[in-house]
Amino acid sequence: MERTPFSDLDSQPSEMMAMLLAALEAMGRHPEIRRVRRTAMEALHPQPGARLLDAGSGAGDVSRWLATKVGTGGEVIALDQSAATIAAAVQQHDGSNVRYMTGDVSAMTLPTDSVDGVWCERVLQHVDNADAAIAELIRVTRPGGRICLIDTDWESLAFDGVPVRLAETVMTDVHGRLTPKQLDMGRTLRRRLVDAHLVNVTATPVTCLFADPASAAVVLPMVNPMVPADTWPTSPGVRDKWLAHVEAAGARGDFLAVLTIWVVAGTVA
Ligand SMILES: C[S@@+](CC[C@H](N)C(=O)[O-])C[C@H]1O[C@@H](n2cnc3c(N)ncnc32)[C@H](O)[C@@H]1O
């Protein structure tokens, strides 16, 4: 599978790395992403004293939030394959019960049955073999522990207020280039957990609404004028025309984008 920035953050030039880390943090503050995360927190329902794994923890903001739920008697392991990302997360450490480590979600050094629960947000869309990664998450979770997977369904992305044909052309070009290769990951999560024999599987599609381009740009790279033009797979003319239409829709007040992010959880039998 072709590598995308989030599948190999440490290989990014430092400027791009800084931009991607800032983007992750901005996403975490976005009201729609916060809504997705509240849904996930309900699905995981962590207990005080629990030992949790935040797999693919990025900036570590969720790890620190989880730490408030498990309290001083619990622990959260923030694991990410990117050393630079873990270093950035450590810099924001707030003294809570979070242990930061680098590691590949598909081959972790954590012992079998060593955690009570797992949070894995917007990571599986970037890995080569999502089922192998899920098997590894199940291996480290004790029987009765809960696994919560959160991932985007990029094929659900739809716009209004911009020319339909132009939007179709741009999405055909940018999907798998500005977005991860695995466009349908979110909707496949329920099947993957059922096939892996988890029980009490719940699946909640959260459709995020972006009613202006600035809000959308935090989550959707294809409406973000700050995404470097040389990373766009479309011709510069198409990119500029598209972004001009997006801006005009924003100025008229009729821009709209929707994207479904799935929250899927299951219990290890
Ligand atoms: C889109 S970010 C999401 C980060 C965080 N979960 C969040 O929601 O803010 C994807 C993260 O997954 C990490 N990642 C990608 N592939 C990974 C792997 N095989 N093992 C561990 N982490 C991985 C990336 O380094 C990046 O930090």
Side-chain angles (χ1 to χ4, degrees):
M1 194 190 287
E2 194 175 310
R3 311 302 284 167
T4 53
F6 281 120
S7 60
D8 194 5
L9 274 175
D10 287 352
S11 306
Q12 300 303 314
S14 57
E15 245 176 51
M16 179 62 118
M17 177 79 192
M19 201 186 91
L20 290 167
L21 284 176
L24 272 187
E25 290 180 31
M27 272 187 235
R29 290 190 298 270
H30 195 288
E32 290 295 73
I33 297 298
R34 292 170 76 124
R35 192 160 65 88
V36 171
R37 287 181 174 175
R38 283 197 301 277
T39 304
M41 193 61 89
E42 277 171 31
L44 184 62
H45 198 56
Q47 298 298 308
R51 189 164 192 245
L52 302 179
L53 167 66
D54 182 5
S57 48
D61 45 344
V62 165
S63 309
R64 290 181 288 274
W65 187 34
L66 289 168
T68 67
K69 305 289 181 189
V70 301
T72 49
E75 184 187 36
V76 178
I77 301 160
L79 176 140
D80 200 286
Q81 74 172 4
S82 157
T85 301
I86 287 293
V90 167
Q91 283 203 335
Q92 298 190 43
H93 184 53
D94 58 1
S96 58
N97 238 354
V98 179
R99 181 154 60 94
Y100 301 87
M101 62 186 285
T102 53
D104 180 352
V105 69
S106 305
M108 293 181 281
T109 55
L110 295 172
T112 298
D113 297 350
S114 60
V115 301
D116 301 303
V118 172
W119 179 295
C120 184
E121 179 179 346
R122 291 176 297 144
V123 176
L124 296 177
Q125 60 187 331
H126 300 289
V127 306
D128 290 343
N129 184 339
D131 288 326
I134 289 170
E136 184 65 348
L137 296 175
I138 294 171
R139 180 188 70 77
V140 302
T141 307
R142 65 160 172 84
R146 199 144 171 87
I147 294 179
C148 183
L149 307 177
I150 301 134
D151 240 303
T152 315
D153 188 330
W154 284 104
E155 283 174 352
S156 73
L157 179 60
F159 293 92
D160 193 38
V162 288
V164 175
R165 297 300 281 271
L166 178 61
E168 282 170 4
T169 304
V170 171
M171 290 321 117
T172 303
D173 288 349
V174 304
H175 274 332
R177 308 289 292 278
L178 293 185
T179 61
K181 284 278 164 208
Q182 189 76 44
L183 296 175
D184 62 352
M185 181 55 69
R187 90 184 73 149
T188 71
L189 293 177
R190 181 180 179 280
R191 168 176 51 79
R192 291 175 194 274
L193 290 194
V194 168
D195 290 353
H197 308 295
L198 267 66
V199 296
N200 298 328
V201 175
T202 59
T204 311
V206 182
T207 297
C208 301
L209 166 68
F210 306 99
D212 69 80
S215 161
V218 176
V219 178
L220 309 177
M222 67 290 291
V223 298
N224 186 347
M226 303 299 284
V227 171
D230 61 4
T231 64
W232 273 69
T234 57
S235 68
V238 170
R239 170 189 178 271
D240 294 349
K241 185 175 168 189
W242 163 251
L243 290 177
H245 276 289
V246 168
E247 190 183 344
R252 287 192 307 271
D254 65 11
F255 173 87
L256 181 140
V258 286
L259 176 74
T260 296
I261 299 179
W262 285 80
V263 174
V264 177
T267 301
V268 177

